[in-house]
């Protein structure tokens, strides 16, 4: 029977440990990067980290925090390139994904911090990307072997979905154009001040250190099937697929069957391990080796996230 992977836990030796003790613990680890690569994800709990003490911990775990440029999920940006986790209604599941896997560049690490745990539910599921890939039917893996083509329609201030100003964290059209040119995307400004962006990306990738091949795309999240039959039907009446805020197809433009993306979504969740939150917990993940999501919850929940290269 195949061993079930789970994150490696770092806990204190005493119940009254503080963030200072965690800082010293992390400094004593010869190579945090190697520890993360070996274990794929680290859960750090019991050190009573607060938002005020979070910065000192992040300086060790995320030495170069990145802005969430070209990110497609709704978030609130806080100080120091720290963001709220995806602001999505509490009753819904967020399916498994690797952050910015649809882009030409993505963060290598993500750090989550639980400032307030939900009344119930709200776990962050994490999935081993190798296991996720292997769980898919050969027919699905073969269909995705040539990659996927993502298309975004970002409005200029009014419309469905995110604006390009929110997405790229700038009002400067030249900066957006330069970013997209460097990424090799096909793009054009649209009447009304919006922009359409298309780019073809692989459906899998290999880890730069271990060489492991992992499922690495967000086709299910960009596909109308992920919206549910009723919502997808309503949107189809309002606009054609190419006008949706985001859509996905195979590189030649042919549609991806609903069943393929639903299988990828469901098997990612089926193979995931839930990280249940307590206030002050941290979760550090390798963003290539591990996908993440969110379980539904009740009550208020506040989890912050930061990213690094």
């Amino acid at each position: 029977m195949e061993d079930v992977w789970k994150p490696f836990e770092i806990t204190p030796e005493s119940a009254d440990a503080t963030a200072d003790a965690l800082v010293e613990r992390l400094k004593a680890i010869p190579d945090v990067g190697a520890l993360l690569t070996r274990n794929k994800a680290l859960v750090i709990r019991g050190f009573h980290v607060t938002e005020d003490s979070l910065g000192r911990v992040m300086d060790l775990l995320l030495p170069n925090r990145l802005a969430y440029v070209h990110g497609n999920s709704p978030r609130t940006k806080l100080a120091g390139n720290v963001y709220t986790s995806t602001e999505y209604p509490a009753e819904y599941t967020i399916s498994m994904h690797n952050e910015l896997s649809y882009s030409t560049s993505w963060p290598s690490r993500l750090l989550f911090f639980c400032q307030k745990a939900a009344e119930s539910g709200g776990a962050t599921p994490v999935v081993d990307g190798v296991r996720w890939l292997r769980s898919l039917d050969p027919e699905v893996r073969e269909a995705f072997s040539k990659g996927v083509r993502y298309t975004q329609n970002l409005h200029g201030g009014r419309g469905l979905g995110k604006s390009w100003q929110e997405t790229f964290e700038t009002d400067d059209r030249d900066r957006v154009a330069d970013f997209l040119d460097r990424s090799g995307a096909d793009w054009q400004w649209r009447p009304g001040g919006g922009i359409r962006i298309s780019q073809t990306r692989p459906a899998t990738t290999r880890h730069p250190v271990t060489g492991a091949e992992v499922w690495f795309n967000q086709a299910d999240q960009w596909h109308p099937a992920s919206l549910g039959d009723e919502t997808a039907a309503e949107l189809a009446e309002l606009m054609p697929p190419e006008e949706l805020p985001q859509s996905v197809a195979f590189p030649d433009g042919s549609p991806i069957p609903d069943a393929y993306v639903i299988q990828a979504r469901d098997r990612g969740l089926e193979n995931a391990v839930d990280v249940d939150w307590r206030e002050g917990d941290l979760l550090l993940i390798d963003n290539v080796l591990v996908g993440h999501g969110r379980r539904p919850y009740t009550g208020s929940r506040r989890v912050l996230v930061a990213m690094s290269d």
Side-chain angles (χ1 to χ4, degrees):
M1 182 176 179
E2 185 179 357
D3 291 336
V4 176
W5 168 84
K6 63 180 181 179
F8 179 79
E9 285 204 12
I10 298 176
T11 56
E13 296 178 356
S14 63
D16 59 351
T18 65
D20 289 335
L22 174 57
V23 168
E24 294 306 311
R25 179 79 168 271
L26 293 173
K27 286 180 177 178
I29 298 174
D31 189 338
V32 173
L35 181 68
L36 178 61
T37 298
R38 186 164 62 251
N39 292 282
K40 306 180 183 182
L42 308 176
V43 173
I44 304 170
R45 57 176 32 134
F47 291 93
H48 306 289
V49 177
T50 65
E51 189 173 5
D52 290 338
S53 58
L54 179 62
R56 286 176 289 141
V57 178
M58 286 196 300
D59 287 344
L60 294 173
L61 297 177
L62 301 180
N64 181 34
R65 289 190 289 282
L66 303 172
Y68 186 56
V69 174
H70 203 186
N72 68 326
S73 65
R75 304 175 186 270
T76 299
K77 185 174 184 178
L78 309 176
N81 282 343
V82 177
Y83 297 79
T84 58
S85 57
T86 299
E87 295 169 354
Y88 197 58
E91 63 269 27
Y92 296 118
T93 297
I94 298 177
S95 63
M96 309 308 294
H97 62 285
N98 304 80
E99 207 63 55
L100 290 165
S101 61
Y102 53 84
S103 185
T104 53
S105 61
W106 50 81
S108 62
R109 297 182 190 180
L110 304 181
L111 179 68
F112 298 87
F113 165 69
C114 180
Q115 186 177 11
K116 181 175 177 56
E119 182 178 321
S120 67
T124 293
V126 288
V127 63
D128 179 341
V130 173
R131 187 182 183 95
W132 190 4
L133 176 61
R134 290 175 180 169
S135 75
L136 301 176
D137 293 351
E139 176 186 355
V140 174
R141 294 199 300 269
E142 176 60 27
F144 279 91
S145 63
K146 294 182 180 178
V148 294
R149 186 167 183 83
Y150 300 99
T151 299
Q152 287 175 290
N153 289 293
L154 304 172
H155 61 79
R158 284 182 96 175
L160 192 62
K162 291 181 72 173
S163 70
W164 61 263
Q165 294 94 332
E166 291 176 290
T167 300
F168 293 100
E169 297 190 1
T170 182
D171 294 322
D172 188 331
R173 289 164 65 108
D174 290 338
R175 285 184 62 186
V176 173
D178 180 61
F179 177 92
L180 293 172
D181 284 341
R182 285 187 287 108
S183 71
D186 296 325
W187 61 274
Q188 57 181 342
W189 294 107
R190 307 295 306 283
I195 188 172
R196 174 176 291 170
I197 305 162
S198 292
Q199 52 188 337
T200 298
R201 303 289 304 140
T204 67
T205 194
R206 291 190 178 275
H207 191 268
V209 175
T210 69
E213 185 179 16
V214 298
W215 186 248
F216 197 76
N217 68 82
Q218 285 170 245
D220 74 287
Q221 293 190 333
W222 288 56
H223 196 284
S226 67
L227 300 173
D229 293 343
E230 185 176 336
T231 303
E234 290 174 354
L235 282 175
E237 290 182 5
L238 292 173
M239 60 186 66
E242 64 271 15
E243 297 295 335
L244 290 170
Q246 58 188 41
S247 60
V248 65
F250 287 126
D252 62 1
S254 59
I256 300 174
D258 293 3
Y260 289 1
V261 293
I262 290 171
Q263 180 181 128
R265 179 197 66 192
D266 291 351
R267 294 194 182 168
L269 287 164
E270 288 165 6
N271 284 280
V273 177
D274 283 354
V275 175
D276 294 307
W277 290 112
R278 306 169 200 160
E279 291 180 16
D281 285 358
L282 299 152
L283 168 65
L284 182 68
I285 68 173
D286 184 305
N287 186 45
V288 172
L289 292 174
V290 170
H292 66 280
R294 192 205 69 193
R295 302 293 186 184
Y297 64 93
T298 63
S300 60
R301 174 187 186 270
R302 186 173 173 85
V303 174
L304 307 182
V305 63
M307 316 169 200
S308 76
D309 54 13

